Amino acid sequence: MAEPNILLTRIDNRLIHGQVGVTWVNHLGANLILVANDQVAEDPVQQNLMDMVVPDTIQTRFFSIQKTIDIIHKASPRQKIFIVVKDPHDALKLVKGGVPIKKINIGNMHYEEGKKQIAPTVSVDEEDIKAFKELAKLGVELDLRRVPDEKGQNILDLIK
């Protein structure tokens, strides 16, 4: 079975918004945005709101983490897939489940109580740091940047 054509995986707790639906999609040349998130997979209202941001030429799918793991290998080679997840824990579940993710873009993780800000749009706690370190051990490149033309940084350099 051929490996799915995953162009990039992005961690963004907003999931699909203008930056993802237009800027990143155009930069990558993606024709499919796959949101892997258990809550959104069950919420048609959120799905519809996210679909409004995406050009009509781009397909969207809203799958649970498990469904993504189960069917990603059935993707057509014509599908140029951009996966979006809410946090590093979901990304780690995908990788451990066999989704062939080689690079993760960390774009947005809002500050909340108990998290420390490590970049203008990224805040982490100890559990997030553990997940990032485990992803790195599994061979995943971790690139922190908001938009494609920004210079990326390895998140591990910021969380040591």
Side-chain angles (χ1 to χ4, degrees):
M1 192 176 297
E3 193 165 280
N5 188 6
I6 298 170
L7 304 175
L8 185 67
T9 299
R10 177 176 170 95
I11 295 171
D12 193 321
N13 58 358
R14 301 167 295 176
L15 299 171
I16 298 178
H17 52 91
Q19 228 172 51
V20 166
V22 179
T23 308
W24 278 100
V25 166
N26 288 338
H27 172 75
L28 295 169
N31 59 20
L32 172 66
I33 302 173
L34 192 166
V35 174
N37 180 269
D38 292 343
Q39 288 78 32
V40 173
E42 302 291 322
D43 188 341
V45 172
Q46 278 193 66
Q47 293 173 20
N48 288 334
L49 289 171
M50 287 186 223
D51 272 339
M52 293 164 106
V53 178
V54 179
D56 292 340
T57 56
I58 309 300
Q59 293 185 324
T60 54
R61 299 286 184 276
F62 300 93
F63 294 159
S64 68
I65 298 298
Q66 190 58 52
K67 183 171 181 177
T68 303
I69 290 166
D70 292 343
I71 70 166
I72 193 74
H73 292 282
K74 296 176 184 168
S76 161
R78 292 185 309 277
Q79 291 176 307
K80 296 175 186 155
I81 305 167
F82 179 25
I83 298 176
V84 183
V85 297
K86 202 171 202 101
D87 59 45
H89 312 286
D90 283 352
L92 183 58
K93 287 177 196 166
L94 291 176
V95 172
K96 284 182 162 182
V99 178
I101 294 171
K102 296 174 178 44
K103 182 174 184 174
I104 294 177
N105 160 249
I106 300 98
N108 206 64
M109 293 174 62
H110 285 305
Y111 176 81
E112 54 190 60
E113 195 68 39
K115 292 194 177 215
K116 65 179 180 183
Q117 187 173 2
I118 59 167
T121 61
V122 177
S123 297
V124 295
D125 61 20
E126 287 306 313
E127 291 302 309
D128 296 331
I129 291 169
K130 275 190 216 166
F132 282 125
K133 288 181 177 178
E134 194 167 347
L135 283 162
K137 279 185 192 153
L138 293 168
V140 178
E141 181 185 337
L142 301 169
D143 178 56
L144 189 150
R145 74 175 81 196
R146 289 178 300 209
V147 291
D149 58 2
E150 200 171 73
K151 184 180 180 334
Q153 264 184 298
N154 184 331
I155 196 167
L156 296 181
D157 296 339
L158 302 171
I159 59 177
K160 288 182 176 161

